[in-house]
Amino acid sequence: MTAVGDETAKTGADRQFRRKYALTDVLRTSAGLEYSVHSCPRQYKQDMDSLFPGQDVSKFLIVPTQQKARVDLVNTGEEVEKEKDRLLETFAVFASGLVDRLSHQGHFADYIDPCSGLPMVNRNSQTYYGEVEAAQTLLGYPVANAGCCKVLLHPAWGSAVYPATFFTSAPLEVLLDALKHVDQPVAQM
């Protein structure tokens, strides 16, 4: 895992907000998947309660991830769909490895299906999680309008980015240890 430079322009209030909730810098797995760890902002609590009913979300950690796509994901077509499938598979391997490890240690863990915006493990919610809005809020990444959709603009990759998010109740140290252990299988994809 390596730290990634902060290349986004931010206002003082934005930087202060992100600094308050960011627990790590943006890091990168050996496979190039970027991630950072954030505590759950108070204004997310109601959405998190709906997303994960019955869980104490006040101490949840949010792990937004980004992967660099081989093509611009704003475009459409077979090549774009195949690339989204590849990126989804890489994220699913990463996230399911974290779920397995953290769940076996007694911690809640789940991740969002970027295609539907719904939780993948605990499927008792129909609440949508907005990946683009979350990356904008937690990381300060800009967005652009593409027709009726908002598109995330990564500071280095532009719209050739695939965002996806993981959540857990595990303490930071436990999560960071689990991240080290799941890095190797992701790197082999």
Side-chain angles (χ1 to χ4, degrees), residues 126-149:
Q126 291 300 309
T127 301
Y128 168 82
Y129 182 78
E131 298 286 359
V132 171
E133 295 83 0
Q136 183 180 26
T137 300
L138 295 172
L139 298 166
Y141 290 175
V143 299
N145 289 322
C148 62
C149 299

Side-chain angles (χ1 to χ4, degrees), residues 13 16 18 23 26 29 33 40 54-55 64 75 79 82 91 101 108 110 117 131 140-141 148 154 157 159 182 184-185:
Q16 196 171 38
R18 277 183 284 292
L23 302 175
V26 175
T29 67
L33 184 141
C40 186
Q55 296 296 320
N75 297 325
E79 183 182 18
K82 284 182 180 179
F91 174 70
R101 186 164 188 87
F108 175 87
D110 204 341
E131 298 286 359
Y141 290 175
C148 62
H154 187 279
W157 310 330
S159 57
V182 301
Q184 294 311 311

Side-chain angles (χ1 to χ4, degrees), residues 28-92:
R28 184 177 290 136
T29 67
S30 55
L33 184 141
E34 289 185 357
Y35 68 91
S36 52
V37 181
H38 304 260
S39 59
C40 186
R42 188 173 52 240
Q43 65 267 35
Y44 274 37
K45 187 177 178 342
Q46 185 175 0
D47 291 338
M48 295 295 106
D49 282 337
S50 296
L51 198 58
F52 304 112
Q55 296 296 320
D56 177 8
V57 300
S58 64
K59 295 186 179 167
F60 264 28
L61 297 179
I62 304 171
V63 183
T65 71
Q66 301 80 44
Q67 294 178 76
K68 183 177 182 181
R70 296 174 182 156
V71 297
D72 187 338
L73 298 182
V74 171
N75 297 325
T76 58
E78 187 175 336
E79 183 182 18
V80 171
E81 293 309 311
K82 284 182 180 179
E83 179 65 354
K84 286 180 182 178
D85 289 345
R86 182 187 73 79
L87 296 167
L88 175 59
E89 180 63 25
T90 300
F91 174 70

Side-chain angles (χ1 to χ4, degrees), residues 104-183:
H104 282 96
Q105 295 176 1
H107 303 289
F108 175 87
D110 204 341
Y111 58 101
I112 300 299
D113 173 2
C115 299
S116 69
L118 299 174
M120 288 296 295
V121 178
N122 302 286
R123 296 180 180 240
N124 55 346
S125 171
Q126 291 300 309
T127 301
Y128 168 82
Y129 182 78
E131 298 286 359
V132 171
E133 295 83 0
Q136 183 180 26
T137 300
L138 295 172
L139 298 166
Y141 290 175
V143 299
N145 289 322
C148 62
C149 299
K150 283 187 176 182
V151 175
L152 184 64
L153 299 174
H154 187 279
W157 310 330
S159 57
V161 61
Y162 190 83
T165 305
F166 179 84
F167 300 87
T168 187
S169 64
L172 179 61
E173 302 76 30
V174 174
L175 172 60
L176 292 175
D177 183 62
L179 285 161
K180 288 178 191 172
H181 283 87
V182 301
D183 186 18

